[in-house]
Amino acid sequence: MNAQLPGFEQKDPATARILLVDDDLRLLESLRHLLELHDFRADTAGGGRAAMEKLRERSYDLVLLDLGMPEVGGRDVLRFMATEQMSCITVVVSANGSVQDMTAALRDGAYDYLRKPYVPEELLATVNNALRRKHLEDMNCCMRGRLERSERLHRMIVNNSPDIVFILDKAGHFSFINSRVTDLLGYERESLLGSPLLALVDDEDREKAAYFLGQVMRRHRDVRSVELILRPSGRVHCRRHFEVAVWPQQEEHEETPFGDMTHSIYGTARDITERKESEAFITFQAYHDLLTRLPNRALFKDRVSLAIAHARRRGTRLAVMFIDLNRFKIINDSLGHAIGDRLLQSVSQRLLATIRQGDTLSRFGGDEFTLLLPEVQDAEAAGQVAQKLLDSLSRPFQIGVHELYVGASIGIAIYPEQGQGLDELIRHADIAMYREKRSRKNGFRVFNPEMGSDAIPLQLEQDFRRALERREFQLVYQPQVDTAQCRLAGVEALVRWPHPVHGVLGPVDFIPLAEETRLILELDHLTLRTALEEVGRCHLNGHAGMRLAVNLSPIVVEHDDFVDRVKQSIADSGFPPHLLELEITESLLMSDGRATVEKLGALSSLGIRFAIDDFGTGYSSLSYLQKLPVHTLKIDRSFTQGISAREDEACLVNAIVSMAKGLQMGVVTEGVETLVQMDYLRSLGCPMMQGYLFGRPATLSDIIERPLSLPSAGRFPGQVDELPEQV
């Protein structure tokens, strides 16, 4: 029968690998037969040397070994198995029954000892027990191997985790920390063992970390986390943000791959620096202008709202300024957006250097800036700040090879006098800026209630676009008189806008808006085509020699299709090119000179003449006057007003006329209103004039039908009768 211990499930006997070793072949065969009767399968070896060969060839669970064998005995086999670290169990079956032999065999590694002749039942029981032990040892070895592999896997996962993994003792000191701390913070993990977690926390978050640890030291069931800034070692130079998560404390005496977790805290620290930087960048994008890095409109409004609340509580004033750059669009269109962007950055830096640390400068959009002065004494103090801003912009900006000039128009609104709320203050500052911009000068203006009746820029822009679509603009003409020959030499086309609410508006009321919105392109071309058609009809009705002067914005001249559109307008109207004079401003000379020369030269080759309007009021360069195909200088009305009976009060006019003669250019004087002015100009040899003395701007039909008669006046000594060709 098959002996078996209670509670042990013996594996299938046929699967057991057994080796029988004995030099008595008859006894060896009898033993094999006995085992086969009980379903065991066994190999046999007729001596110690044969046994060693068998053991080298395959592994066995059990070896039944005789001690007394010639040449190679049983103890030699036992020592061989020990040397080769074979895991099979050995039961000695020997006739040698002395205590010394038994002790020696057991010392050499035998599991049990049976004497010959053996009792079959005793031998079978011993075999079963030995196989059971071998089975248990194999299972234990397998489990131990699995545990070791599991522990290695856990350690590999922990040490290669992207997070810092740590264990704290009940005092909050590190009892374990993985090697990730070296990669992220530069510390050697061994140097941190026994150190408190708080030693790694940045001073900014030390109080928050201490409170958090105090909470998690108490038993809790939920995972708790906190965001902390951890201080790196000297090898790492930047602070890093971490999300520290702590798991519930382990139960008493619970064992883990990392040892006893009694009263310990297991946690992780995940590096969230990139996420925090991304969040900060997104927040920065939401509230800042990326080009200038100034606060944007949203952040500016938020700060103004807070400043209003603060001023209301303390009973103080604040100022809001609306700053709009002058001439920026000309530079941006002429030199490109890259230069324009660099100019905006330089402007913002210069403005920042002018204001106080507590003030808020923002880019409101395009070339518009806003400024918040949280505490100002009065409008005069705000004006002083505005003047400092204008002074800072008066110096040229060196952008690459370009020396650029920009100015600004500034509107100011004071809380609480000019507005009680955010939108009201910004709107009133915008209106004041727009009123100042209409003056076409660099300056500032404080809002007053009378400006409230002005057309709001947005509404005016909408009305302007609608007027263009419906062609509601009208042309009037200013006579240009040759006083030497007492004849009407030509007319200058002037545009008027009959606004349905504000009445008839002159150019000063809407040209700045047209230039800002670039609607001036359509307006000037519409004006040119209409004037060519109307004056062209006069040519057919007996006034063939009448000249036409049309004023053009620099934006129109600088546009790429300027030459083509002028040519097309002349071709469509059939107007004689040599009777057309296009008036440009001195500001155009400050832009791209080469492109301007090429464009004006292309039109001049057709016979079209060019005049510098309001000469002397801008920043003219005499070298450009020689390069450009300019035929006429128009003396501004501000110089004409200085002419009186005393000749020394008109020195500027004298200088301009002399310069024009030297450059072989014609001269037209604007703003002639008195006989004294007319006669003095004639005495200088400058007979081409226009002004109220000869009639106010009117329709072309009114001018033609009205007979021309010059007022009589005395003659100045030295008056020149021979005049150069004019206009």
Side-chain angles (χ1 to χ4, degrees):
M1 61 181 291
N2 206 1
Q4 181 174 313
L5 293 177
F8 172 71
E9 295 182 1
Q10 177 68 48
K11 69 177 183 177
D12 185 3
T15 63
R17 295 162 297 181
I18 302 175
L19 176 63
L20 307 178
V21 183
D22 203 317
D23 60 339
D24 187 345
L25 300 181
R26 183 180 58 80
L27 183 60
L28 188 64
E29 187 63 26
S30 173
L31 181 57
R32 185 177 67 81
H33 181 67
L34 174 63
L35 293 176
E36 287 180 349
L37 289 176
H38 292 82
D39 300 326
F40 292 106
R41 298 289 181 266
D43 295 336
T44 59
R49 192 176 305 279
M52 292 180 184
E53 293 297 328
K54 291 282 187 180
L55 289 168
R56 287 191 182 99
E57 292 175 359
R58 62 177 299 187
S59 60
Y60 290 93
D61 298 321
L62 175 63
V63 177
L64 297 181
L65 178 65
D66 183 25
L67 288 181
M69 294 180 293
E71 296 183 3
V72 179
R75 292 187 62 187
D76 294 329
V77 175
L78 284 171
R79 286 192 287 271
F80 166 77
M81 294 170 63
T83 302
E84 297 295 326
Q85 296 182 349
M86 295 181 178
S87 61
C88 58
I89 291 181
T90 304
V91 175
V92 175
V93 182
S94 176
N96 299 329
S98 66
V99 175
Q100 292 81 358
D101 291 336
M102 294 175 61
T103 302
L106 293 174
R107 187 169 54 247
D108 289 336
Y111 165 70
D112 206 349
Y113 195 102
L114 295 177
R115 293 184 59 188
K116 295 179 181 179
Y118 53 79
V119 178
E121 289 79 5
E122 182 182 2
L123 184 139
L124 290 172
T126 301
V127 168
N128 278 317
N129 288 338
L131 290 175
R132 177 180 179 275
R133 174 170 177 171
K134 181 64 171 70
H135 181 56
L136 290 174
E137 287 180 353
D138 288 346
M139 291 181 63
N140 183 58
C141 182
C142 180
M143 292 177 63
R144 187 167 55 251
R146 289 180 179 177
L147 286 174
E148 290 176 355
R149 288 194 298 274
S150 176
E151 183 176 349
R152 286 197 301 271
L153 178 61
H154 279 79
R155 289 190 180 276
M156 182 188 71
I157 292 174
V158 169
N159 286 323
N160 291 280
S161 169
D163 303 333
I164 297 175
V165 180
F166 60 88
I167 298 174
L168 301 178
D169 60 21
K170 60 183 179 181
H173 295 184
F174 291 111
S175 58
F176 170 83
I177 191 167
N178 67 346
S179 57
R180 185 63 173 161
V181 71
T182 304
D183 301 330
L184 296 179
L185 295 175
Y187 297 100
E188 296 298 333
R189 55 185 300 273
E190 293 80 6
S191 66
L192 294 177
L193 298 180
S195 300
L197 171 63
L198 288 177
L200 296 186
V201 180
D202 190 83
D203 294 340
E204 181 180 333
D205 285 349
R206 185 70 61 85
E207 185 176 351
K208 179 170 65 174
Y211 176 81
F212 175 74
L213 284 177
Q215 294 296 313
V216 300
M217 286 299 180
R218 304 185 182 94
R219 291 198 173 275
H220 57 91
R221 295 184 178 182
D222 301 323
V223 178
R224 298 184 180 180
S225 63
V226 66
E227 292 184 2
L228 297 175
I229 302 174
L230 299 186
R231 184 174 59 246
S233 69
R235 292 180 296 171
V236 182
H237 301 292
C238 60
R239 301 189 311 171
R240 304 194 70 85
H241 297 262
F242 289 85
E243 182 181 19
V244 179
V246 173
W247 272 254
Q249 293 187 8
Q250 303 294 322
E251 297 297 331
E252 296 284 346
H253 308 297
E254 183 176 347
E255 293 288 337
T256 73
F258 307 104
D260 188 359
M261 294 278 287
T262 304
H263 296 300
S264 60
I265 298 174
Y266 169 72
T268 61
R270 173 163 298 178
D271 188 359
I272 58 172
T273 304
E274 290 187 3
R275 191 191 80 190
K276 298 291 286 186
E277 290 175 349
S278 298
E279 291 175 354
F281 180 68
I282 292 173
T283 302
F284 185 87
Q285 281 185 311
Y287 292 102
H288 290 81
D289 170 58
L290 295 184
L291 177 64
T292 62
R293 306 188 72 81
L294 294 176
N296 61 10
R297 183 179 307 197
L299 182 55
F300 180 78
K301 288 186 174 182
D302 182 65
R303 291 188 178 177
V304 172
S305 298
L306 292 176
I308 290 175
H310 183 72
R312 185 178 295 116
R313 287 194 302 269
R314 300 186 59 182
T316 57
R317 291 183 174 87
L318 63 87
V320 172
M321 294 188 186
F322 211 103
I323 307 167
D324 187 88
L325 300 183
N326 297 330
R327 300 195 71 256
F328 172 77
K329 287 183 171 57
I330 296 176
I331 296 173
N332 196 50
D333 294 339
S334 302
L335 302 180
H337 294 290
I339 297 296
D341 289 346
R342 291 174 59 185
L343 178 59
L344 285 175
Q345 292 171 336
S346 299
V347 167
S348 65
Q349 292 303 312
R350 193 174 290 183
L351 294 178
L352 277 176
T354 306
I355 63 177
R356 301 172 300 181
Q357 186 174 2
D359 302 336
T360 298
L361 176 69
S362 80
R363 185 185 177 199
F364 219 59
D367 61 347
E368 296 177 337
F369 296 83
T370 49
L371 175 63
L372 166 65
L373 305 178
E375 293 186 5
V376 292
Q377 188 68 28
D378 48 30
E380 182 179 354
Q384 293 174 356
V385 175
Q387 188 58 52
K388 289 181 180 179
L389 297 176
L390 294 173
D391 293 342
S392 71
L393 297 178
S394 63
R395 303 188 308 274
F397 291 86
Q398 191 67 41
I399 308 297
V401 298
H402 303 283
E403 187 176 80
L404 305 176
Y405 290 84
V406 294
S409 299
I410 303 178
I412 304 174
I414 306 294
Y415 171 88
E417 288 85 350
Q418 280 101 46
Q420 298 287 327
L422 163 69
D423 294 333
E424 189 178 18
L425 282 171
I426 294 178
R427 184 173 70 254
H428 288 171
D430 189 17
I431 292 174
M433 180 277 297
Y434 185 71
R435 170 66 74 89
E436 180 62 27
K437 196 173 187 67
R438 286 164 57 179
S439 69
R440 297 193 178 187
K441 296 180 180 179
N442 300 324
F444 66 88
R445 189 164 301 195
V446 179
F447 177 83
N448 63 64
E450 294 179 358
M451 298 180 187
S453 60
D454 284 2
I456 298 176
L458 178 60
Q459 183 62 47
L460 194 63
E461 178 183 344
Q462 295 172 349
D463 295 343
F464 192 91
R465 293 181 183 275
R466 191 178 301 110
L468 271 178
E469 293 174 0
R470 300 175 181 177
R471 297 203 169 194
E472 296 176 350
F473 293 93
Q474 299 175 352
L475 291 186
V476 293
Y477 297 87
Q478 178 87 46
Q480 291 185 341
V481 178
D482 182 350
T483 59
Q485 301 180 14
C486 190
R487 68 181 181 89
L488 178 66
V491 290
E492 179 183 358
L494 304 174
V495 65
R496 298 291 185 264
W497 179 14
H499 193 279
V501 176
H502 304 287
V504 178
L505 301 180
V508 70
D509 296 312
F510 58 84
I511 291 299
L513 173 65
E515 291 181 334
E516 180 181 355
T517 59
R518 301 188 66 80
L519 295 174
I520 191 68
L521 294 169
E522 295 302 320
L523 178 63
D524 274 12
H525 284 299
L526 175 62
T527 300
L528 177 61
R529 293 178 68 91
T530 304
L532 289 174
E533 293 172 358
E534 293 182 356
V535 178
R537 287 194 293 268
C538 288
H539 291 168
L540 299 177
N541 295 327
H543 301 278
M546 181 181 293
R547 294 185 178 276
L548 169 64
V550 180
N551 193 297
L552 296 179
S553 167
I555 296 176
V556 176
V557 179
E558 291 168 347
H559 202 270
D560 294 339
D561 65 353
F562 166 64
V563 174
D564 293 335
R565 295 190 70 169
V566 172
K567 288 181 177 180
Q568 188 64 44
S569 298
I570 291 177
D572 293 343
S573 63
F575 194 92
H578 68 280
L579 295 179
L580 174 62
E581 185 170 74
L582 300 179
E583 297 182 1
I584 58 178
T585 61
E586 289 179 276
S587 63
L588 182 63
L589 306 182
M590 300 294 292
S591 60
D592 191 349
R594 179 178 299 178
T596 302
V597 170
E598 292 176 355
K599 291 176 182 178
L600 301 189
L603 294 178
S604 181
S605 64
L606 301 178
I608 298 175
R609 302 169 67 86
F610 289 93
I612 301 296
D613 191 24
D614 299 335
F615 183 79
T617 61
Y619 304 93
S620 300
S621 171
L622 295 181
S623 62
Y624 274 113
L625 289 179
Q626 292 180 316
K627 294 178 182 179
L628 292 172
V630 176
H631 308 87
T632 304
L633 299 182
K634 297 193 68 176
I635 300 176
D636 185 66
R637 62 183 299 110
S638 61
F639 299 139
T640 307
Q641 301 305 312
I643 298 175
S644 67
R646 296 179 58 186
E647 189 172 349
D648 58 350
E649 295 184 9
C651 56
L652 288 177
V653 176
N654 296 356
I656 295 174
V657 172
S658 299
M659 182 179 63
K661 289 181 179 180
L663 296 173
Q664 296 183 343
M665 295 181 182
V667 178
V668 177
T669 309
E670 299 179 305
V672 179
E673 299 179 355
T674 67
L675 293 174
V676 172
Q677 294 169 353
M678 182 187 74
D679 286 343
Y680 183 77
L681 291 168
R682 291 177 64 183
S683 72
L684 295 178
C686 180
M688 294 299 301
M689 309 175 199
Q690 65 183 73
Y692 289 171
L693 182 63
F694 313 106
R696 293 180 176 272
T699 64
L700 194 57
S701 60
D702 289 342
I703 293 176
I704 293 175
E705 294 173 0
R706 182 177 60 199
L708 178 63
S709 61
L710 295 183
S712 61
R715 295 173 60 90
F716 283 87
Q719 178 177 341
V720 180
D721 291 324
E722 297 296 329
L723 303 176
E725 182 183 358
Q726 304 292 324
V727 188

